[in-house]
Amino acid sequence: MNQIISFCFAIDGFSITYSDSNREINSLSFDPLSTCNLFQHFSIIEGFDIDRNGEPVILYTDSYFHQPVTGWSFWCDFVKSYPFTGRHAELIAEAIEDHNYFR
């Protein structure tokens, strides 16, 4: 079982520090583009593109409406509005560890 020590989801990207089942400390950092790749891989976002300034533009679906609404959001707006929690970080750490285990 992984234990999250710290995580940060910000305009700079995503970083996480956790201890794995062997009690080893792991620290990972992702820039915004790598974070988008990671989030797309784990289905947190549906996809992304890059604008002419090199900023990710996130494709999302808001399922809170009766009929889901699909739209685009600039990276900085996405970071400010997405309700990223410790549970998200925990699931990502577990998936990374599972991937490393099978590799």
Side-chain angles (χ1 to χ4, degrees), residues 3 5 7 20 46 49 62-64 71 84-85 92 101:
Q3 180 180 0
I5 296 168
F7 71 92
D20 61 20
E46 292 183 35
D49 201 354
D62 192 340
S63 58
Y64 292 106
F84 194 87
T85 66
I92 289 171
Y101 175 78

Side-chain angles (χ1 to χ4, degrees), residues 42-78:
F42 293 124
S43 300
I44 294 172
I45 63 173
E46 292 183 35
F48 68 98
D49 201 354
I50 308 300
D51 72 4
R52 61 182 158 185
N53 296 321
E55 180 181 5
V57 181
I58 311 303
L59 172 64
Y60 68 91
T61 298
D62 192 340
S63 58
Y64 292 106
F65 294 98
H66 295 287
Q67 293 180 337
V69 176
T70 301
W72 292 92
S73 178
F74 286 104
W75 173 252
C76 60
D77 295 330
F78 176 75

